[in-house]
Every structure is written in structure tokens, then in C-alpha cells.
Amino acid sequence: MNNFARSEELRFLLFDLLEVETLADRPRYDGQDRGIWDAALTTAEQMAVQHFAPHNREADLNEPRLVDGAVQTVSGVKPALGAFADAGFLRAHHDDALGGLQLPWAVVQGCFAFFQAANIATVAYPFLTIAAGNLLARFASDDQKSRFLPPMLSGRFFGTMCLSEPQAGSSLTDITTSARPTADGRYAISGVKQWISGGEHELSDNIIHLVLARIEGAPPGVKGLSLFIVPRFRLDTGGEPAAANDVHLVSLLHKMGYRGTTSTILRFGENDACEGELIGEANRGLTYMFQMMNEARIGVGLGAAMLAHAGYVHSLDYARNRPQGRHPGGKDPAAPPVAIIEHADVKRMLLAQRAYAEGGMALCLHAAKLMDDERTAPPKQAANASLLLDVLTPICKAWPSEWGPRANDLAIQIMGGYGYTRDYPVEQYYRDNRLNPIHEGTNGIQALDLLGRKLAMSDGRGLDLLAEEIRSTGATASDDEVLRPHADALATHLDAVVHTSALLLARMQAGDVNLALANASLHLDAMGQVVIAWQWLRQAIVAQRMLDAGNGDPDYLQGKVQVCHYFCRYELPRVNQLTELLNQIDTTCADTPASWF
């Protein structure tokens, strides 16, 4: 039974809101249609129910551990990953020449969402492998692709990304892992990497680490970083795993969530025998790695939204079936108690959960469709999609991972004492989701990226395009009497955020970079509130049209419109306080001496 994700929700977002069926007109998807994509979603849901959900709690209670020198995971993980690979989900979006199905990325992400809701820890292994494979498909040499991609797409090899180091953390400028050229054209890799998810296990025949390192003599800082393929086991002439490649597990790390995913510290080249292969050109490693990082950031956002959604589904079921208390006006103690979903405060918490979860889901799937547009749309549309993605990616990562855990917190609150016991999964969803504000660059880093880099790129054209999209949605919503007030409110807050962004960018251009970026997180939050309000207004427009036409489940669609009302009335006004502080260039945080703490 699927008790973690509503399939009607994902289908509404993909087919009704995003209209992914229009992609079938493009040559890459020739011969595909909604029937094929719907079947893929059905398969994903069934597999998530049968293979991933059953061991979600077991893997949380029994973390990976070392047994006789090997990392041991619970028994359900390996067959689940095998089923995932056998069904073709590792290669579903790849070219036919690679054995792929050339499915749209938006559809693939819709499928993946079921697995994220069912078991975020187990699906982290293919999550990283897919992203690593995408990087190799784009930047690796033909020889490297021929040796590494096929076994990764079949599930025989898994992949990782190795950026962080114990002394550097998120500061990639301070990476010290080194790469020394060898006589055979390879490189001797030496260094320590930390927080490497999936870094050691016995779930695949090999692990392909993508490692950022500095070639001897390279420039300092991120401009001197190169990217290397470093397999756990070297390949023999037939492409099979052979000798160990001097990659050693230093330690397993123990986290509050995602406990079924191995998190590791790895030492490369302890015996000066670790070989790596350079990807592309030297000193362009971070450029290549951003392919994987940006994809992963959107994926982390979608995972955060799906965990929020899973918590909502469970707390909704509990609220409908838990009798407790009576209406405030009910004075008869002999009257039967009502289900707690009848209480206004419980309704508030359910509306908030749905607003955070489905708003984040809509945004991240919208970004996935933009990735399809970037690849397959006519040139002008593809270029605009790329600019929009630049602006939306840090919001996709940060907003759902900031508000997703708040949704899980509300799920716990609705369930009362049962919520924080292990009798129900909502406490695990909270712990799993709390990692996402840190995964793939902390939300503070996303804020610096948005304000410090993305808004100024291409002379600010990305923000201009986003504003045009939002205003277009507002113009459409203004034709509906019920939605017009929300369209007006969105327009007002959009103008405020655009004005504030211009003010902060001007301060940076004038040299006040530190001061302008001091409250970058507030700016990201304000941008996020406007973008999610836009996503909700888009959903409400579609839902209202379906209601008017007599299509779909009226209760579900009315709920969509009501959540739009909630978000625009309860959440969107937060932008006022945020932009007021930002416009003042408030220095409270920046001016506080460290000694005062």
C-alpha cells in the first residue's frame, strides 16, 4: 500500500500544471506519449511500495556498520537497488544508443519522487549514480564513457561526488587533495574527503568516485581544481573490476537522518597507489562538477518536498481517524468526540504542510521541465530556460529544504505524543529532512550564490525573465474574481523583491560586497516566498479551470485553490518584513563582534 505519496498529486503537477505532454512534439521524444509516461509513473510507484518502503524503518534503526572490514547494510537495500536498475530507471533519460529510453527529465524526476518519499536513504545511491553518470556523459572522453558509463547505467557500478575535506568543509578554495601526473597519462591522487555519501559499501561491483583535486603547480583557489575519475577498484583490460585502487575507508559517519546511506571519510593514496583519470581539461574541475552539483541541488529540494509530502499524508490520515475533543461551542460532555481534523488549528497545520510540500514539489518539477527545455526546445526558448534555471536552482534547493522540515514538524505536532514516538514514521521524516538544508551546499551558500552570482549573470536577464513569467501568471489570474486579490498581492511583493535585489546589487557594484551579502539569506527567503506564491497561483488557475470544466476530483481541486488562499494570505506577507530589513541594509548581524557571544 502506498501510504507515503499521493499519485494524483504528481500526475496533476506533471500533466495538468506543467503540461509535459507537449514535449512529445519534440524529436527527442518522438513516439512517446502520456500513456508511456503514465506507465513509468505507475511502475515507479509500485516498485517504491514493494522494494523501498518496506525497509525504510529497518535501515533507520540499523545503520551501516563495519563487519570484518566490509560495510554491511540491511538486507533489503541491495535487492531494492537491483530492482531499480533492472527496471531501467538509472538510464531512463539517456540516449537510445546507451540503452536509455530518452524519457523527459521531468517525467524521470516525477518517477524518482515516489522513491524519495518511500525511502530517501536507499534511493540516495542511485541519486548520486545518476548524477555522476550525467556528468560523465557530458564531459568525459569517449574512451572513459565506454568503460565507465555502461556499468553505471546498468547498476553494476555506483557513483559518488567527492568535494568536501575535513579542514575545508564547504570552502572549496581550501581543497588540498593533490594529483601528480604519472608516466602513463594518469594521476596519482592523494588526500582525504569527508561527508562522502555512498563512499563505501558492498552494494555494487565498483564505486566510481568523482574527485576534485589540485594538480601539482595548479593556480591557487577554485580556478586550480581539476576533476578525476577514481574507481574503488581499477579496471582490467576487459573493463572488469580488478586490483584495489588504494581508496580506504577512514570512518563511517553517523547522522541524525538518512541513516541508511553510508556517509564516509575516505583516504585516497595512503600507499601512494591511487590512480585517477582526468576529466576534460585541467583546472576546469569545478565547472564540470557544477553539472552534478546543480542537478543534485534540485534533487535535494525535491527530496525535501517529498519528505514533507510523506509527513503530510501520514498526519492527514491520523487527523481523519483520531477522535479527540469537541468543537469549542459544544457544551455537552456526553456528545461523541470529533475527529481532530475538525479543529481549526489542525486544519491550519494541514494547510501549511500542503503549502510547503506541494509548493516545493511544483517548483522542483518545474525546474526539471526547464532542463528538458534547455536540451530540446528551439534555441531562444532553450536559452531562456537556461537563464531561468540559473536563478531558480538555489531557490529549488534552499526553499523546500528550509520549509520541508517545518512541514514535518507540523506533522509531529498534529499527531501529538504519538508523533515523536517511533510508532509512526513522521519523526524519522523530520530527522531525514533536517539534513537537506545542509546537503549540497548549505542554504546560506545558496543565498550567497543567488545574490552574489546568479542575479548579476547575463546583465540580470535571469531575474527579468522570472519576473516576466510571474507577471504573466498574475495577468491570467486577474481574470478570475476569486484569484485576483492574490494576483495583486503577488505583483506587489514581486515589485518589492525586484527593487530590493537591484538595491543590493548596486551596493555590491559600489564595493559594499560584504555589507550587501550580510543578509543574503533574508533575500533568498523573500525570493522563495514570491516564487512559491507564483507556483501556487499557477496551480490554482489550473485547478479552477478544471473545476469549471467539470474535470477531476472536485474536493482535491478545491483543496488546491484553498491552499493558494492560505499561502497568499498567511505566508506571502512575510516578504514585507524581509524586504524592509534588506532595504535598510541592516547591519545588526554584520556588526556584532565575535567577543559578544
Side-chain angles (χ1 to χ4, degrees), residues 293-326:
M293 290 166 65
N294 286 334
E295 179 183 323
R297 285 170 174 175
I298 296 171
V300 165
L302 182 58
M306 292 312 300
L307 288 170
H309 177 66
Y312 165 72
V313 170
H314 278 277
S315 65
L316 173 63
D317 179 71
Y318 183 89
R320 283 174 169 162
N321 292 286
R322 167 68 171 177
Q324 183 175 311
R326 293 156 186 83

PDB file of all heavy atoms in Angstrom, residues 293-326:
ATOM      1  N   MET A 293      26.514  19.157  -9.267  1.00  0.00           N
ATOM      2  CA  MET A 293      26.059  19.874  -8.086  1.00  0.00           C
ATOM      3  C   MET A 293      24.703  20.533  -8.310  1.00  0.00           C
ATOM      4  O   MET A 293      23.810  20.456  -7.442  1.00  0.00           O
ATOM      5  CB  MET A 293      27.094  20.924  -7.689  1.00  0.00           C
ATOM      6  CG  MET A 293      28.386  20.337  -7.139  1.00  0.00           C
ATOM      7  SD  MET A 293      29.733  21.552  -7.056  1.00  0.00           S
ATOM      8  CE  MET A 293      29.076  22.684  -5.831  1.00  0.00           C
ATOM      9  N   ASN A 294      24.517  21.185  -9.445  1.00  0.00           N
ATOM     10  CA  ASN A 294      23.245  21.852  -9.700  1.00  0.00           C
ATOM     11  C   ASN A 294      22.113  20.854  -9.839  1.00  0.00           C
ATOM     12  O   ASN A 294      21.000  21.075  -9.348  1.00  0.00           O
ATOM     13  CB  ASN A 294      23.349  22.732 -10.940  1.00  0.00           C
ATOM     14  CG  ASN A 294      24.140  24.007 -10.686  1.00  0.00           C
ATOM     15  OD1 ASN A 294      24.210  24.498  -9.567  1.00  0.00           O
ATOM     16  ND2 ASN A 294      24.753  24.543 -11.721  1.00  0.00           N
ATOM     17  N   GLU A 295      22.380  19.748 -10.529  1.00  0.00           N
ATOM     18  CA  GLU A 295      21.369  18.699 -10.630  1.00  0.00           C
ATOM     19  C   GLU A 295      21.027  18.156  -9.252  1.00  0.00           C
ATOM     20  O   GLU A 295      19.853  17.942  -8.917  1.00  0.00           O
ATOM     21  CB  GLU A 295      21.904  17.583 -11.522  1.00  0.00           C
ATOM     22  CG  GLU A 295      20.962  16.406 -11.687  1.00  0.00           C
ATOM     23  CD  GLU A 295      21.574  15.294 -12.522  1.00  0.00           C
ATOM     24  OE1 GLU A 295      22.295  15.600 -13.500  1.00  0.00           O
ATOM     25  OE2 GLU A 295      21.340  14.112 -12.193  1.00  0.00           O
ATOM     26  N   ALA A 296      22.075  17.942  -8.439  1.00  0.00           N
ATOM     27  CA  ALA A 296      21.844  17.413  -7.098  1.00  0.00           C
ATOM     28  C   ALA A 296      21.101  18.414  -6.221  1.00  0.00           C
ATOM     29  O   ALA A 296      20.291  18.027  -5.376  1.00  0.00           O
ATOM     30  CB  ALA A 296      23.178  17.032  -6.456  1.00  0.00           C
ATOM     31  N   ARG A 297      21.362  19.714  -6.404  1.00  0.00           N
ATOM     32  CA  ARG A 297      20.675  20.714  -5.590  1.00  0.00           C
ATOM     33  C   ARG A 297      19.174  20.706  -5.858  1.00  0.00           C
ATOM     34  O   ARG A 297      18.370  20.791  -4.923  1.00  0.00           O
ATOM     35  CB  ARG A 297      21.276  22.095  -5.868  1.00  0.00           C
ATOM     36  CG  ARG A 297      22.631  22.271  -5.224  1.00  0.00           C
ATOM     37  CD  ARG A 297      23.367  23.522  -5.670  1.00  0.00           C
ATOM     38  NE  ARG A 297      24.593  23.675  -4.901  1.00  0.00           N
ATOM     39  CZ  ARG A 297      25.508  24.610  -5.116  1.00  0.00           C
ATOM     40  NH1 ARG A 297      25.335  25.495  -6.095  1.00  0.00           N
ATOM     41  NH2 ARG A 297      26.591  24.671  -4.357  1.00  0.00           N
ATOM     42  N   ILE A 298      18.789  20.587  -7.108  1.00  0.00           N
ATOM     43  CA  ILE A 298      17.362  20.497  -7.418  1.00  0.00           C
ATOM     44  C   ILE A 298      16.800  19.193  -6.876  1.00  0.00           C
ATOM     45  O   ILE A 298      15.688  19.147  -6.334  1.00  0.00           O
ATOM     46  CB  ILE A 298      17.131  20.615  -8.935  1.00  0.00           C
ATOM     47  CG1 ILE A 298      17.564  22.005  -9.420  1.00  0.00           C
ATOM     48  CG2 ILE A 298      15.671  20.370  -9.287  1.00  0.00           C
ATOM     49  CD1 ILE A 298      17.587  22.156 -10.927  1.00  0.00           C
ATOM     50  N   GLY A 299      17.593  18.113  -6.988  1.00  0.00           N
ATOM     51  CA  GLY A 299      17.149  16.828  -6.455  1.00  0.00           C
ATOM     52  C   GLY A 299      16.989  16.832  -4.950  1.00  0.00           C
ATOM     53  O   GLY A 299      16.060  16.214  -4.412  1.00  0.00           O
ATOM     54  N   VAL A 300      17.888  17.525  -4.245  1.00  0.00           N
ATOM     55  CA  VAL A 300      17.757  17.649  -2.791  1.00  0.00           C
ATOM     56  C   VAL A 300      16.479  18.404  -2.448  1.00  0.00           C
ATOM     57  O   VAL A 300      15.744  18.042  -1.522  1.00  0.00           O
ATOM     58  CB  VAL A 300      18.998  18.352  -2.195  1.00  0.00           C
ATOM     59  CG1 VAL A 300      18.726  18.816  -0.762  1.00  0.00           C
ATOM     60  CG2 VAL A 300      20.185  17.406  -2.206  1.00  0.00           C
ATOM     61  N   GLY A 301      16.186  19.461  -3.202  1.00  0.00           N
ATOM     62  CA  GLY A 301      14.953  20.196  -2.970  1.00  0.00           C
ATOM     63  C   GLY A 301      13.732  19.332  -3.171  1.00  0.00           C
ATOM     64  O   GLY A 301      12.787  19.373  -2.361  1.00  0.00           O
ATOM     65  N   LEU A 302      13.735  18.529  -4.243  1.00  0.00           N
ATOM     66  CA  LEU A 302      12.593  17.645  -4.486  1.00  0.00           C
ATOM     67  C   LEU A 302      12.483  16.600  -3.385  1.00  0.00           C
ATOM     68  O   LEU A 302      11.378  16.286  -2.917  1.00  0.00           O
ATOM     69  CB  LEU A 302      12.733  16.967  -5.849  1.00  0.00           C
ATOM     70  CG  LEU A 302      11.581  16.048  -6.255  1.00  0.00           C
ATOM     71  CD1 LEU A 302      10.247  16.798  -6.273  1.00  0.00           C
ATOM     72  CD2 LEU A 302      11.850  15.417  -7.629  1.00  0.00           C
ATOM     73  N   GLY A 303      13.622  16.065  -2.938  1.00  0.00           N
ATOM     74  CA  GLY A 303      13.580  15.102  -1.835  1.00  0.00           C
ATOM     75  C   GLY A 303      13.023  15.715  -0.570  1.00  0.00           C
ATOM     76  O   GLY A 303      12.241  15.084   0.156  1.00  0.00           O
ATOM     77  N   ALA A 304      13.405  16.960  -0.273  1.00  0.00           N
ATOM     78  CA  ALA A 304      12.879  17.644   0.907  1.00  0.00           C
ATOM     79  C   ALA A 304      11.371  17.829   0.791  1.00  0.00           C
ATOM     80  O   ALA A 304      10.619  17.648   1.770  1.00  0.00           O
ATOM     81  CB  ALA A 304      13.568  18.995   1.078  1.00  0.00           C
ATOM     82  N   ALA A 305      10.920  18.200  -0.401  1.00  0.00           N
ATOM     83  CA  ALA A 305       9.479  18.378  -0.614  1.00  0.00           C
ATOM     84  C   ALA A 305       8.739  17.053  -0.476  1.00  0.00           C
ATOM     85  O   ALA A 305       7.622  17.001   0.068  1.00  0.00           O
ATOM     86  CB  ALA A 305       9.225  18.993  -1.981  1.00  0.00           C
ATOM     87  N   MET A 306       9.347  15.963  -0.960  1.00  0.00           N
ATOM     88  CA  MET A 306       8.679  14.665  -0.886  1.00  0.00           C
ATOM     89  C   MET A 306       8.620  14.146   0.556  1.00  0.00           C
ATOM     90  O   MET A 306       7.645  13.496   0.946  1.00  0.00           O
ATOM     91  CB  MET A 306       9.374  13.649  -1.787  1.00  0.00           C
ATOM     92  CG  MET A 306       9.231  13.947  -3.272  1.00  0.00           C
ATOM     93  SD  MET A 306       7.533  14.317  -3.819  1.00  0.00           S
ATOM     94  CE  MET A 306       6.671  12.794  -3.378  1.00  0.00           C
ATOM     95  N   LEU A 307       9.648  14.407   1.342  1.00  0.00           N
ATOM     96  CA  LEU A 307       9.577  14.035   2.757  1.00  0.00           C
ATOM     97  C   LEU A 307       8.509  14.849   3.474  1.00  0.00           C
ATOM     98  O   LEU A 307       7.793  14.332   4.348  1.00  0.00           O
ATOM     99  CB  LEU A 307      10.940  14.244   3.428  1.00  0.00           C
ATOM    100  CG  LEU A 307      12.031  13.237   3.045  1.00  0.00           C
ATOM    101  CD1 LEU A 307      13.385  13.696   3.575  1.00  0.00           C
ATOM    102  CD2 LEU A 307      11.698  11.844   3.575  1.00  0.00           C
ATOM    103  N   ALA A 308       8.386  16.125   3.114  1.00  0.00           N
ATOM    104  CA  ALA A 308       7.309  16.937   3.664  1.00  0.00           C
ATOM    105  C   ALA A 308       5.959  16.381   3.257  1.00  0.00           C
ATOM    106  O   ALA A 308       5.019  16.318   4.062  1.00  0.00           O
ATOM    107  CB  ALA A 308       7.451  18.384   3.195  1.00  0.00           C
ATOM    108  N   HIS A 309       5.864  15.961   2.002  1.00  0.00           N
ATOM    109  CA  HIS A 309       4.614  15.388   1.483  1.00  0.00           C
ATOM    110  C   HIS A 309       4.273  14.081   2.201  1.00  0.00           C
ATOM    111  O   HIS A 309       3.114  13.848   2.576  1.00  0.00           O
ATOM    112  CB  HIS A 309       4.773  15.148  -0.013  1.00  0.00           C
ATOM    113  CG  HIS A 309       3.599  14.507  -0.670  1.00  0.00           C
ATOM    114  ND1 HIS A 309       2.368  15.114  -0.783  1.00  0.00           N
ATOM    115  CD2 HIS A 309       3.460  13.282  -1.258  1.00  0.00           C
ATOM    116  CE1 HIS A 309       1.527  14.308  -1.411  1.00  0.00           C
ATOM    117  NE2 HIS A 309       2.158  13.193  -1.701  1.00  0.00           N
ATOM    118  N   ALA A 310       5.279  13.239   2.421  1.00  0.00           N
ATOM    119  CA  ALA A 310       5.041  11.975   3.122  1.00  0.00           C
ATOM    120  C   ALA A 310       4.530  12.220   4.539  1.00  0.00           C
ATOM    121  O   ALA A 310       3.611  11.544   5.016  1.00  0.00           O
ATOM    122  CB  ALA A 310       6.316  11.136   3.149  1.00  0.00           C
ATOM    123  N   GLY A 311       5.129  13.211   5.218  1.00  0.00           N
ATOM    124  CA  GLY A 311       4.648  13.546   6.556  1.00  0.00           C
ATOM    125  C   GLY A 311       3.228  14.056   6.529  1.00  0.00           C
ATOM    126  O   GLY A 311       2.414  13.730   7.415  1.00  0.00           O
ATOM    127  N   TYR A 312       2.901  14.849   5.524  1.00  0.00           N
ATOM    128  CA  TYR A 312       1.535  15.359   5.366  1.00  0.00           C
ATOM    129  C   TYR A 312       0.553  14.205   5.181  1.00  0.00           C
ATOM    130  O   TYR A 312      -0.517  14.174   5.813  1.00  0.00           O
ATOM    131  CB  TYR A 312       1.474  16.305   4.174  1.00  0.00           C
ATOM    132  CG  TYR A 312       0.065  16.615   3.703  1.00  0.00           C
ATOM    133  CD1 TYR A 312      -0.782  17.422   4.451  1.00  0.00           C
ATOM    134  CD2 TYR A 312      -0.419  16.082   2.505  1.00  0.00           C
ATOM    135  CE1 TYR A 312      -2.082  17.691   4.026  1.00  0.00           C
ATOM    136  CE2 TYR A 312      -1.711  16.347   2.068  1.00  0.00           C
ATOM    137  CZ  TYR A 312      -2.532  17.156   2.826  1.00  0.00           C
ATOM    138  OH  TYR A 312      -3.808  17.409   2.401  1.00  0.00           O
ATOM    139  N   VAL A 313       0.890  13.248   4.337  1.00  0.00           N
ATOM    140  CA  VAL A 313      -0.002  12.119   4.068  1.00  0.00           C
ATOM    141  C   VAL A 313      -0.290  11.354   5.355  1.00  0.00           C
ATOM    142  O   VAL A 313      -1.438  10.991   5.635  1.00  0.00           O
ATOM    143  CB  VAL A 313       0.612  11.193   2.997  1.00  0.00           C
ATOM    144  CG1 VAL A 313      -0.175   9.890   2.887  1.00  0.00           C
ATOM    145  CG2 VAL A 313       0.651  11.895   1.634  1.00  0.00           C
ATOM    146  N   HIS A 314       0.746  11.110   6.160  1.00  0.00           N
ATOM    147  CA  HIS A 314       0.545  10.359   7.406  1.00  0.00           C
ATOM    148  C   HIS A 314      -0.255  11.166   8.427  1.00  0.00           C
ATOM    149  O   HIS A 314      -1.152  10.616   9.094  1.00  0.00           O
ATOM    150  CB  HIS A 314       1.896   9.956   7.989  1.00  0.00           C
ATOM    151  CG  HIS A 314       2.466   8.717   7.373  1.00  0.00           C
ATOM    152  ND1 HIS A 314       2.107   7.452   7.768  1.00  0.00           N
ATOM    153  CD2 HIS A 314       3.351   8.560   6.356  1.00  0.00           C
ATOM    154  CE1 HIS A 314       2.759   6.561   7.039  1.00  0.00           C
ATOM    155  NE2 HIS A 314       3.517   7.202   6.171  1.00  0.00           N
ATOM    156  N   SER A 315       0.075  12.446   8.588  1.00  0.00           N
ATOM    157  CA  SER A 315      -0.643  13.235   9.587  1.00  0.00           C
ATOM    158  C   SER A 315      -2.083  13.496   9.153  1.00  0.00           C
ATOM    159  O   SER A 315      -2.990  13.599   9.997  1.00  0.00           O
ATOM    160  CB  SER A 315       0.088  14.555   9.863  1.00  0.00           C
ATOM    161  OG  SER A 315       0.110  15.385   8.717  1.00  0.00           O
ATOM    162  N   LEU A 316      -2.332  13.574   7.858  1.00  0.00           N
ATOM    163  CA  LEU A 316      -3.702  13.715   7.360  1.00  0.00           C
ATOM    164  C   LEU A 316      -4.523  12.485   7.700  1.00  0.00           C
ATOM    165  O   LEU A 316      -5.669  12.589   8.169  1.00  0.00           O
ATOM    166  CB  LEU A 316      -3.686  13.953   5.849  1.00  0.00           C
ATOM    167  CG  LEU A 316      -5.048  13.966   5.142  1.00  0.00           C
ATOM    168  CD1 LEU A 316      -5.917  15.116   5.662  1.00  0.00           C
ATOM    169  CD2 LEU A 316      -4.856  14.078   3.628  1.00  0.00           C
ATOM    170  N   ASP A 317      -3.946  11.312   7.461  1.00  0.00           N
ATOM    171  CA  ASP A 317      -4.659  10.074   7.787  1.00  0.00           C
ATOM    172  C   ASP A 317      -4.945  10.005   9.287  1.00  0.00           C
ATOM    173  O   ASP A 317      -6.049   9.623   9.705  1.00  0.00           O
ATOM    174  CB  ASP A 317      -3.823   8.874   7.339  1.00  0.00           C
ATOM    175  CG  ASP A 317      -4.501   7.547   7.661  1.00  0.00           C
ATOM    176  OD1 ASP A 317      -5.515   7.224   7.003  1.00  0.00           O
ATOM    177  OD2 ASP A 317      -4.023   6.832   8.569  1.00  0.00           O
ATOM    178  N   TYR A 318      -3.966  10.384  10.095  1.00  0.00           N
ATOM    179  CA  TYR A 318      -4.153  10.373  11.535  1.00  0.00           C
ATOM    180  C   TYR A 318      -5.246  11.358  11.942  1.00  0.00           C
ATOM    181  O   TYR A 318      -6.130  11.032  12.754  1.00  0.00           O
ATOM    182  CB  TYR A 318      -2.833  10.732  12.221  1.00  0.00           C
ATOM    183  CG  TYR A 318      -2.897  10.684  13.729  1.00  0.00           C
ATOM    184  CD1 TYR A 318      -2.626   9.502  14.417  1.00  0.00           C
ATOM    185  CD2 TYR A 318      -3.210  11.818  14.478  1.00  0.00           C
ATOM    186  CE1 TYR A 318      -2.677   9.449  15.806  1.00  0.00           C
ATOM    187  CE2 TYR A 318      -3.261  11.787  15.863  1.00  0.00           C
ATOM    188  CZ  TYR A 318      -3.001  10.596  16.514  1.00  0.00           C
ATOM    189  OH  TYR A 318      -3.057  10.549  17.899  1.00  0.00           O
ATOM    190  N   ALA A 319      -5.219  12.553  11.375  1.00  0.00           N
ATOM    191  CA  ALA A 319      -6.200  13.579  11.737  1.00  0.00           C
ATOM    192  C   ALA A 319      -7.621  13.154  11.380  1.00  0.00           C
ATOM    193  O   ALA A 319      -8.583  13.503  12.077  1.00  0.00           O
ATOM    194  CB  ALA A 319      -5.860  14.895  11.049  1.00  0.00           C
ATOM    195  N   ARG A 320      -7.761  12.419  10.308  1.00  0.00           N
ATOM    196  CA  ARG A 320      -9.093  11.967   9.895  1.00  0.00           C
ATOM    197  C   ARG A 320      -9.631  10.858  10.785  1.00  0.00           C
ATOM    198  O   ARG A 320     -10.853  10.685  10.894  1.00  0.00           O
ATOM    199  CB  ARG A 320      -9.040  11.462   8.455  1.00  0.00           C
ATOM    200  CG  ARG A 320      -9.005  12.578   7.411  1.00  0.00           C
ATOM    201  CD  ARG A 320      -8.818  12.019   6.019  1.00  0.00           C
ATOM    202  NE  ARG A 320      -9.039  13.053   5.006  1.00  0.00           N
ATOM    203  CZ  ARG A 320      -8.631  12.956   3.759  1.00  0.00           C
ATOM    204  NH1 ARG A 320      -7.961  11.878   3.341  1.00  0.00           N
ATOM    205  NH2 ARG A 320      -8.884  13.932   2.892  1.00  0.00           N
ATOM    206  N   ASN A 321      -8.736  10.117  11.422  1.00  0.00           N
ATOM    207  CA  ASN A 321      -9.170   8.919  12.139  1.00  0.00           C
ATOM    208  C   ASN A 321      -8.988   9.000  13.648  1.00  0.00           C
ATOM    209  O   ASN A 321      -9.344   8.051  14.349  1.00  0.00           O
ATOM    210  CB  ASN A 321      -8.403   7.698  11.603  1.00  0.00           C
ATOM    211  CG  ASN A 321      -8.788   7.353  10.177  1.00  0.00           C
ATOM    212  OD1 ASN A 321      -9.867   6.819   9.920  1.00  0.00           O
ATOM    213  ND2 ASN A 321      -7.913   7.672   9.226  1.00  0.00           N
ATOM    214  N   ARG A 322      -8.464  10.100  14.136  1.00  0.00           N
ATOM    215  CA  ARG A 322      -8.244  10.250  15.571  1.00  0.00           C
ATOM    216  C   ARG A 322      -9.354  11.090  16.183  1.00  0.00           C
ATOM    217  O   ARG A 322      -9.417  12.311  15.980  1.00  0.00           O
ATOM    218  CB  ARG A 322      -6.890  10.921  15.824  1.00  0.00           C
ATOM    219  CG  ARG A 322      -6.688  11.416  17.255  1.00  0.00           C
ATOM    220  CD  ARG A 322      -6.586  10.294  18.260  1.00  0.00           C
ATOM    221  NE  ARG A 322      -6.176  10.806  19.570  1.00  0.00           N
ATOM    222  CZ  ARG A 322      -6.060  10.056  20.654  1.00  0.00           C
ATOM    223  NH1 ARG A 322      -6.328   8.762  20.591  1.00  0.00           N
ATOM    224  NH2 ARG A 322      -5.677  10.589  21.792  1.00  0.00           N
ATOM    225  N   PRO A 323     -10.289  10.473  16.935  1.00  0.00           N
ATOM    226  CA  PRO A 323     -11.314  11.269  17.614  1.00  0.00           C
ATOM    227  C   PRO A 323     -10.751  11.870  18.898  1.00  0.00           C
ATOM    228  O   PRO A 323     -10.139  11.173  19.709  1.00  0.00           O
ATOM    229  CB  PRO A 323     -12.411  10.242  17.912  1.00  0.00           C
ATOM    230  CG  PRO A 323     -11.705   8.923  17.980  1.00  0.00           C
ATOM    231  CD  PRO A 323     -10.495   9.018  17.104  1.00  0.00           C
ATOM    232  N   GLN A 324     -10.952  13.138  19.069  1.00  0.00           N
ATOM    233  CA  GLN A 324     -10.462  13.792  20.290  1.00  0.00           C
ATOM    234  C   GLN A 324     -11.085  15.173  20.411  1.00  0.00           C
ATOM    235  O   GLN A 324     -11.044  15.968  19.473  1.00  0.00           O
ATOM    236  CB  GLN A 324      -8.939  13.912  20.264  1.00  0.00           C
ATOM    237  CG  GLN A 324      -8.349  14.513  21.539  1.00  0.00           C
ATOM    238  CD  GLN A 324      -6.833  14.505  21.509  1.00  0.00           C
ATOM    239  OE1 GLN A 324      -6.211  13.496  21.212  1.00  0.00           O
ATOM    240  NE2 GLN A 324      -6.230  15.648  21.808  1.00  0.00           N
ATOM    241  N   GLY A 325     -11.687  15.457  21.549  1.00  0.00           N
ATOM    242  CA  GLY A 325     -12.247  16.772  21.808  1.00  0.00           C
ATOM    243  C   GLY A 325     -13.542  17.028  21.053  1.00  0.00           C
ATOM    244  O   GLY A 325     -14.042  16.192  20.300  1.00  0.00           O
ATOM    245  N   ARG A 326     -14.072  18.212  21.280  1.00  0.00           N
ATOM    246  CA  ARG A 326     -15.322  18.625  20.653  1.00  0.00           C
ATOM    247  C   ARG A 326     -15.158  20.053  20.140  1.00  0.00           C
ATOM    248  O   ARG A 326     -14.200  20.733  20.493  1.00  0.00           O
ATOM    249  CB  ARG A 326     -16.470  18.535  21.656  1.00  0.00           C
ATOM    250  CG  ARG A 326     -16.771  17.069  22.049  1.00  0.00           C
ATOM    251  CD  ARG A 326     -17.447  16.945  23.396  1.00  0.00           C
ATOM    252  NE  ARG A 326     -17.577  15.540  23.784  1.00  0.00           N
ATOM    253  CZ  ARG A 326     -16.588  14.843  24.374  1.00  0.00           C
ATOM    254  NH1 ARG A 326     -15.420  15.434  24.667  1.00  0.00           N
ATOM    255  NH2 ARG A 326     -16.769  13.570  24.672  1.00  0.00           N
TER     256      ARG A 326
END
